[in-house]
Amino acid sequence: MTERIVLAYSGGLDTSVAIGWIGEATGAEVIAVAVDVGQGGESLETIRQRALGCGAVEAYVADASDEFANEYCVPTLKANALYQGHYPLVSAISRPVIVKHLVKAAREFGATTVAHGCTGKGNDQVRFEVGIQTLGPDLKCIAPVRDLALTRDKAIAFAEEKGLPIETTKKNPYSIDQNVWGRAVETGYLEDIWNAPTKDIYDYTATPEFPPAPDEVTISFEAGVPVAIDGIKVTPLQAIKELNRRAGAQGVGRIDVVEDRLVGIKSREIYEAPGAMALITAHKHLEDITVEREQARFKATVGQRWAELVYDGQWFSPLKRSLDAFIEDTQKYVSGDIRMTLHGGQAIVNGRRSDTSLYDFSLATYDTGDTFDQSQAKGFIELWGMSAKVASGRDIRVAGQ
Ligand code: ARG
């Protein structure tokens, strides 16, 4: 029986050529799998037809947009996950959901191998392959760009020679990956890290220098999950989309960073994640009033580690799963409303309310109604500083000897 290979298919030039390229190099039949993670653009049916036109024996499309929002974006939000303090893991969280569907398709169509279009220099090859090893340990992986020398020039020549139904003339100097959680743009002119991004790079956000009138929005959460916007019930997917639109119009969520890739390279990336950044900001502010101090401090460390694991392709790892359990436990009381103003590239919180708040007005107030006993503070400070005071006494004594 002819061997079958499942290919993660985007509809673009590289993966379209990869269908025939893999076929010629291996003699296997190729099944193209396109996964909808809210990337927009062409319809999945158009993409499916193109895959068939390029020689795929089957083309399978999976609508994973709600699944992606509920099971991948929401946990990222609960973790307030920002890799290196900046990057909301846009591409990193899409790989595991794509992997799930690739493995499922491999089972359905009797494939032995999974293929993806990543190069050998990035994080995404690691995320795909570690994910596949975990969910389908018997499956093999190949990456035609990396393993079968499928360069850009060869891809264009191949497409033209075979008359594939794909445009080869459109020159986009950037490498772009996008989904409902955000958009990532790299390479080309951006590789000189002194070059500021030009306006044409952006798609999810308008230039914040010329914002429309401020937009005030109220986001309601239940146990860490966004459930309503301005009082109207929403699913997580709807919440992200609505905030992509509204925060995007105000230029919120543009990120320009040089980040540490897992493969050891520092690389420049431009992100835009208006919905994600507005939601993370709101969620963090709600945690500020609903999560107890020590739990909150520890959670910040956990969230950072969670982001590193997910960035590094460890979505399905035991440690990531254990951290999920901790994070989930902290979300029990993260319910309530956050009001914020979207304007001029910023999402600024200016109101919060919650039935499960730990904010106690009578403890906080400097006005009448104060129940905080200030006389207790003196003794508290005495004991709190005791250990450092004793050490400092020793330092002076030793220095004087
Ligand atoms: N650097 C990011 C990451 O590793 C995004 C990579 C996405 N690819 C792109 N073509 N911009 O998660």
PDB file of all heavy atoms in Angstrom, residues 207-232:
ATOM      1  N   THR A 207      -3.120  52.852  13.187  1.00  0.00           N
ATOM      2  CA  THR A 207      -2.038  53.653  13.747  1.00  0.00           C
ATOM      3  C   THR A 207      -2.541  54.475  14.937  1.00  0.00           C
ATOM      4  O   THR A 207      -3.473  55.261  14.792  1.00  0.00           O
ATOM      5  CB  THR A 207      -1.474  54.592  12.659  1.00  0.00           C
ATOM      6  OG1 THR A 207      -1.072  53.760  11.591  1.00  0.00           O
ATOM      7  CG2 THR A 207      -0.287  55.376  13.155  1.00  0.00           C
ATOM      8  N   PRO A 208      -1.953  54.277  16.127  1.00  0.00           N
ATOM      9  CA  PRO A 208      -2.488  54.948  17.316  1.00  0.00           C
ATOM     10  C   PRO A 208      -2.255  56.459  17.356  1.00  0.00           C
ATOM     11  O   PRO A 208      -2.853  57.140  18.172  1.00  0.00           O
ATOM     12  CB  PRO A 208      -1.764  54.260  18.478  1.00  0.00           C
ATOM     13  CG  PRO A 208      -0.600  53.567  17.883  1.00  0.00           C
ATOM     14  CD  PRO A 208      -0.882  53.339  16.436  1.00  0.00           C
ATOM     15  N   GLU A 209      -1.438  56.976  16.447  1.00  0.00           N
ATOM     16  CA  GLU A 209      -1.215  58.436  16.435  1.00  0.00           C
ATOM     17  C   GLU A 209      -2.484  59.212  16.069  1.00  0.00           C
ATOM     18  O   GLU A 209      -2.639  60.349  16.445  1.00  0.00           O
ATOM     19  CB  GLU A 209      -0.114  58.824  15.432  1.00  0.00           C
ATOM     20  CG  GLU A 209       1.295  58.613  15.926  1.00  0.00           C
ATOM     21  CD  GLU A 209       1.817  57.220  15.605  1.00  0.00           C
ATOM     22  OE1 GLU A 209       0.984  56.311  15.356  1.00  0.00           O
ATOM     23  OE2 GLU A 209       3.034  57.029  15.624  1.00  0.00           O
ATOM     24  N   PHE A 210      -3.366  58.584  15.313  1.00  0.00           N
ATOM     25  CA  PHE A 210      -4.585  59.288  14.897  1.00  0.00           C
ATOM     26  C   PHE A 210      -5.813  58.502  15.335  1.00  0.00           C
ATOM     27  O   PHE A 210      -6.575  58.014  14.503  1.00  0.00           O
ATOM     28  CB  PHE A 210      -4.603  59.470  13.370  1.00  0.00           C
ATOM     29  CG  PHE A 210      -3.345  60.045  12.827  1.00  0.00           C
ATOM     30  CD1 PHE A 210      -2.405  59.250  12.204  1.00  0.00           C
ATOM     31  CD2 PHE A 210      -3.081  61.409  12.972  1.00  0.00           C
ATOM     32  CE1 PHE A 210      -1.219  59.778  11.719  1.00  0.00           C
ATOM     33  CE2 PHE A 210      -1.898  61.952  12.487  1.00  0.00           C
ATOM     34  CZ  PHE A 210      -0.961  61.137  11.866  1.00  0.00           C
ATOM     35  N   PRO A 211      -6.003  58.377  16.646  1.00  0.00           N
ATOM     36  CA  PRO A 211      -7.088  57.490  17.100  1.00  0.00           C
ATOM     37  C   PRO A 211      -8.457  58.148  16.980  1.00  0.00           C
ATOM     38  O   PRO A 211      -8.569  59.368  17.042  1.00  0.00           O
ATOM     39  CB  PRO A 211      -6.749  57.271  18.574  1.00  0.00           C
ATOM     40  CG  PRO A 211      -5.990  58.493  18.976  1.00  0.00           C
ATOM     41  CD  PRO A 211      -5.293  59.017  17.760  1.00  0.00           C
ATOM     42  N   PRO A 212      -9.480  57.330  16.805  1.00  0.00           N
ATOM     43  CA  PRO A 212     -10.839  57.863  16.924  1.00  0.00           C
ATOM     44  C   PRO A 212     -11.115  58.241  18.388  1.00  0.00           C
ATOM     45  O   PRO A 212     -10.238  58.060  19.233  1.00  0.00           O
ATOM     46  CB  PRO A 212     -11.709  56.696  16.485  1.00  0.00           C
ATOM     47  CG  PRO A 212     -10.849  55.489  16.454  1.00  0.00           C
ATOM     48  CD  PRO A 212      -9.427  55.905  16.526  1.00  0.00           C
ATOM     49  N   ALA A 213     -12.303  58.738  18.689  1.00  0.00           N
ATOM     50  CA  ALA A 213     -12.641  59.123  20.066  1.00  0.00           C
ATOM     51  C   ALA A 213     -12.437  57.929  20.996  1.00  0.00           C
ATOM     52  O   ALA A 213     -12.586  56.782  20.573  1.00  0.00           O
ATOM     53  CB  ALA A 213     -14.087  59.586  20.109  1.00  0.00           C
ATOM     54  N   PRO A 214     -12.099  58.195  22.272  1.00  0.00           N
ATOM     55  CA  PRO A 214     -11.879  57.103  23.221  1.00  0.00           C
ATOM     56  C   PRO A 214     -13.073  56.157  23.280  1.00  0.00           C
ATOM     57  O   PRO A 214     -14.211  56.571  23.155  1.00  0.00           O
ATOM     58  CB  PRO A 214     -11.711  57.826  24.557  1.00  0.00           C
ATOM     59  CG  PRO A 214     -11.291  59.201  24.205  1.00  0.00           C
ATOM     60  CD  PRO A 214     -11.887  59.516  22.868  1.00  0.00           C
ATOM     61  N   ASP A 215     -12.790  54.883  23.453  1.00  0.00           N
ATOM     62  CA  ASP A 215     -13.831  53.859  23.488  1.00  0.00           C
ATOM     63  C   ASP A 215     -13.821  53.229  24.879  1.00  0.00           C
ATOM     64  O   ASP A 215     -12.847  52.603  25.280  1.00  0.00           O
ATOM     65  CB  ASP A 215     -13.498  52.813  22.407  1.00  0.00           C
ATOM     66  CG  ASP A 215     -14.569  51.743  22.268  1.00  0.00           C
ATOM     67  OD1 ASP A 215     -15.604  51.836  22.959  1.00  0.00           O
ATOM     68  OD2 ASP A 215     -14.366  50.803  21.459  1.00  0.00           O
ATOM     69  N   GLU A 216     -14.906  53.402  25.615  1.00  0.00           N
ATOM     70  CA  GLU A 216     -14.979  52.816  26.950  1.00  0.00           C
ATOM     71  C   GLU A 216     -15.691  51.474  26.880  1.00  0.00           C
ATOM     72  O   GLU A 216     -16.766  51.366  26.311  1.00  0.00           O
ATOM     73  CB  GLU A 216     -15.734  53.753  27.891  1.00  0.00           C
ATOM     74  CG  GLU A 216     -15.531  53.354  29.348  1.00  0.00           C
ATOM     75  CD  GLU A 216     -16.265  54.293  30.287  1.00  0.00           C
ATOM     76  OE1 GLU A 216     -17.465  54.067  30.515  1.00  0.00           O
ATOM     77  OE2 GLU A 216     -15.634  55.236  30.762  1.00  0.00           O
ATOM     78  N   VAL A 217     -15.063  50.466  27.448  1.00  0.00           N
ATOM     79  CA  VAL A 217     -15.623  49.120  27.361  1.00  0.00           C
ATOM     80  C   VAL A 217     -15.646  48.474  28.744  1.00  0.00           C
ATOM     81  O   VAL A 217     -14.751  48.714  29.553  1.00  0.00           O
ATOM     82  CB  VAL A 217     -14.816  48.255  26.346  1.00  0.00           C
ATOM     83  CG1 VAL A 217     -13.364  48.081  26.760  1.00  0.00           C
ATOM     84  CG2 VAL A 217     -15.452  46.885  26.134  1.00  0.00           C
ATOM     85  N   THR A 218     -16.704  47.702  29.011  1.00  0.00           N
ATOM     86  CA  THR A 218     -16.765  46.937  30.260  1.00  0.00           C
ATOM     87  C   THR A 218     -16.690  45.455  29.916  1.00  0.00           C
ATOM     88  O   THR A 218     -17.493  44.951  29.127  1.00  0.00           O
ATOM     89  CB  THR A 218     -18.065  47.241  31.032  1.00  0.00           C
ATOM     90  OG1 THR A 218     -18.083  48.639  31.316  1.00  0.00           O
ATOM     91  CG2 THR A 218     -18.130  46.461  32.337  1.00  0.00           C
ATOM     92  N   ILE A 219     -15.710  44.800  30.506  1.00  0.00           N
ATOM     93  CA  ILE A 219     -15.528  43.362  30.262  1.00  0.00           C
ATOM     94  C   ILE A 219     -15.863  42.612  31.544  1.00  0.00           C
ATOM     95  O   ILE A 219     -15.340  42.940  32.612  1.00  0.00           O
ATOM     96  CB  ILE A 219     -14.076  43.051  29.838  1.00  0.00           C
ATOM     97  CG1 ILE A 219     -13.668  43.942  28.659  1.00  0.00           C
ATOM     98  CG2 ILE A 219     -13.925  41.573  29.484  1.00  0.00           C
ATOM     99  CD1 ILE A 219     -12.202  43.817  28.264  1.00  0.00           C
ATOM    100  N   SER A 220     -16.762  41.629  31.434  1.00  0.00           N
ATOM    101  CA  SER A 220     -17.143  40.836  32.610  1.00  0.00           C
ATOM    102  C   SER A 220     -16.499  39.463  32.527  1.00  0.00           C
ATOM    103  O   SER A 220     -16.471  38.845  31.459  1.00  0.00           O
ATOM    104  CB  SER A 220     -18.660  40.665  32.666  1.00  0.00           C
ATOM    105  OG  SER A 220     -19.267  41.930  32.562  1.00  0.00           O
ATOM    106  N   PHE A 221     -16.018  39.013  33.687  1.00  0.00           N
ATOM    107  CA  PHE A 221     -15.368  37.696  33.766  1.00  0.00           C
ATOM    108  C   PHE A 221     -16.099  36.819  34.767  1.00  0.00           C
ATOM    109  O   PHE A 221     -16.645  37.318  35.754  1.00  0.00           O
ATOM    110  CB  PHE A 221     -13.919  37.843  34.260  1.00  0.00           C
ATOM    111  CG  PHE A 221     -12.990  38.525  33.297  1.00  0.00           C
ATOM    112  CD1 PHE A 221     -12.884  39.919  33.264  1.00  0.00           C
ATOM    113  CD2 PHE A 221     -12.194  37.781  32.434  1.00  0.00           C
ATOM    114  CE1 PHE A 221     -12.005  40.547  32.385  1.00  0.00           C
ATOM    115  CE2 PHE A 221     -11.309  38.405  31.557  1.00  0.00           C
ATOM    116  CZ  PHE A 221     -11.212  39.789  31.532  1.00  0.00           C
ATOM    117  N   GLU A 222     -16.067  35.517  34.512  1.00  0.00           N
ATOM    118  CA  GLU A 222     -16.496  34.532  35.511  1.00  0.00           C
ATOM    119  C   GLU A 222     -15.392  33.508  35.645  1.00  0.00           C
ATOM    120  O   GLU A 222     -15.014  32.870  34.648  1.00  0.00           O
ATOM    121  CB  GLU A 222     -17.798  33.847  35.084  1.00  0.00           C
ATOM    122  CG  GLU A 222     -19.035  34.486  35.709  1.00  0.00           C
ATOM    123  CD  GLU A 222     -20.321  33.982  35.082  1.00  0.00           C
ATOM    124  OE1 GLU A 222     -20.392  32.779  34.756  1.00  0.00           O
ATOM    125  OE2 GLU A 222     -21.235  34.810  34.888  1.00  0.00           O
ATOM    126  N   ALA A 223     -14.848  33.393  36.850  1.00  0.00           N
ATOM    127  CA  ALA A 223     -13.736  32.467  37.117  1.00  0.00           C
ATOM    128  C   ALA A 223     -12.627  32.588  36.063  1.00  0.00           C
ATOM    129  O   ALA A 223     -12.138  31.588  35.527  1.00  0.00           O
ATOM    130  CB  ALA A 223     -14.248  31.031  37.216  1.00  0.00           C
ATOM    131  N   GLY A 224     -12.281  33.829  35.749  1.00  0.00           N
ATOM    132  CA  GLY A 224     -11.164  34.084  34.847  1.00  0.00           C
ATOM    133  C   GLY A 224     -11.494  34.055  33.368  1.00  0.00           C
ATOM    134  O   GLY A 224     -10.636  34.340  32.534  1.00  0.00           O
ATOM    135  N   VAL A 225     -12.749  33.735  33.035  1.00  0.00           N
ATOM    136  CA  VAL A 225     -13.140  33.616  31.623  1.00  0.00           C
ATOM    137  C   VAL A 225     -13.995  34.826  31.234  1.00  0.00           C
ATOM    138  O   VAL A 225     -14.928  35.162  31.959  1.00  0.00           O
ATOM    139  CB  VAL A 225     -13.965  32.324  31.385  1.00  0.00           C
ATOM    140  CG1 VAL A 225     -14.347  32.174  29.925  1.00  0.00           C
ATOM    141  CG2 VAL A 225     -13.210  31.109  31.890  1.00  0.00           C
ATOM    142  N   PRO A 226     -13.689  35.487  30.118  1.00  0.00           N
ATOM    143  CA  PRO A 226     -14.530  36.610  29.687  1.00  0.00           C
ATOM    144  C   PRO A 226     -15.911  36.092  29.255  1.00  0.00           C
ATOM    145  O   PRO A 226     -15.989  35.184  28.423  1.00  0.00           O
ATOM    146  CB  PRO A 226     -13.776  37.202  28.493  1.00  0.00           C
ATOM    147  CG  PRO A 226     -12.876  36.113  28.008  1.00  0.00           C
ATOM    148  CD  PRO A 226     -12.569  35.236  29.185  1.00  0.00           C
ATOM    149  N   VAL A 227     -16.968  36.667  29.840  1.00  0.00           N
ATOM    150  CA  VAL A 227     -18.319  36.155  29.548  1.00  0.00           C
ATOM    151  C   VAL A 227     -19.257  37.212  28.984  1.00  0.00           C
ATOM    152  O   VAL A 227     -20.297  36.878  28.430  1.00  0.00           O
ATOM    153  CB  VAL A 227     -18.972  35.523  30.806  1.00  0.00           C
ATOM    154  CG1 VAL A 227     -18.248  34.234  31.211  1.00  0.00           C
ATOM    155  CG2 VAL A 227     -19.016  36.506  31.969  1.00  0.00           C
ATOM    156  N   ALA A 228     -18.914  38.493  29.141  1.00  0.00           N
ATOM    157  CA  ALA A 228     -19.774  39.540  28.578  1.00  0.00           C
ATOM    158  C   ALA A 228     -18.946  40.779  28.252  1.00  0.00           C
ATOM    159  O   ALA A 228     -17.928  41.054  28.893  1.00  0.00           O
ATOM    160  CB  ALA A 228     -20.890  39.902  29.553  1.00  0.00           C
ATOM    161  N   ILE A 229     -19.409  41.500  27.228  1.00  0.00           N
ATOM    162  CA  ILE A 229     -18.808  42.793  26.877  1.00  0.00           C
ATOM    163  C   ILE A 229     -19.928  43.813  26.838  1.00  0.00           C
ATOM    164  O   ILE A 229     -20.935  43.608  26.150  1.00  0.00           O
ATOM    165  CB  ILE A 229     -18.070  42.711  25.529  1.00  0.00           C
ATOM    166  CG1 ILE A 229     -16.835  41.806  25.710  1.00  0.00           C
ATOM    167  CG2 ILE A 229     -17.648  44.094  25.043  1.00  0.00           C
ATOM    168  CD1 ILE A 229     -15.963  41.681  24.498  1.00  0.00           C
ATOM    169  N   ASP A 230     -19.778  44.861  27.626  1.00  0.00           N
ATOM    170  CA  ASP A 230     -20.826  45.875  27.767  1.00  0.00           C
ATOM    171  C   ASP A 230     -22.176  45.230  28.060  1.00  0.00           C
ATOM    172  O   ASP A 230     -23.214  45.616  27.502  1.00  0.00           O
ATOM    173  CB  ASP A 230     -20.901  46.748  26.497  1.00  0.00           C
ATOM    174  CG  ASP A 230     -19.649  47.609  26.345  1.00  0.00           C
ATOM    175  OD1 ASP A 230     -19.020  47.949  27.374  1.00  0.00           O
ATOM    176  OD2 ASP A 230     -19.289  47.925  25.198  1.00  0.00           O
ATOM    177  N   GLY A 231     -22.137  44.230  28.910  1.00  0.00           N
ATOM    178  CA  GLY A 231     -23.369  43.583  29.360  1.00  0.00           C
ATOM    179  C   GLY A 231     -23.943  42.565  28.396  1.00  0.00           C
ATOM    180  O   GLY A 231     -24.926  41.895  28.718  1.00  0.00           O
ATOM    181  N   ILE A 232     -23.347  42.430  27.228  1.00  0.00           N
ATOM    182  CA  ILE A 232     -23.864  41.448  26.259  1.00  0.00           C
ATOM    183  C   ILE A 232     -23.035  40.171  26.356  1.00  0.00           C
ATOM    184  O   ILE A 232     -21.807  40.209  26.258  1.00  0.00           O
ATOM    185  CB  ILE A 232     -23.830  42.027  24.821  1.00  0.00           C
ATOM    186  CG1 ILE A 232     -24.756  43.243  24.753  1.00  0.00           C
ATOM    187  CG2 ILE A 232     -24.234  40.978  23.790  1.00  0.00           C
ATOM    188  CD1 ILE A 232     -24.528  44.148  23.578  1.00  0.00           C
TER     189      ILE A 232
END
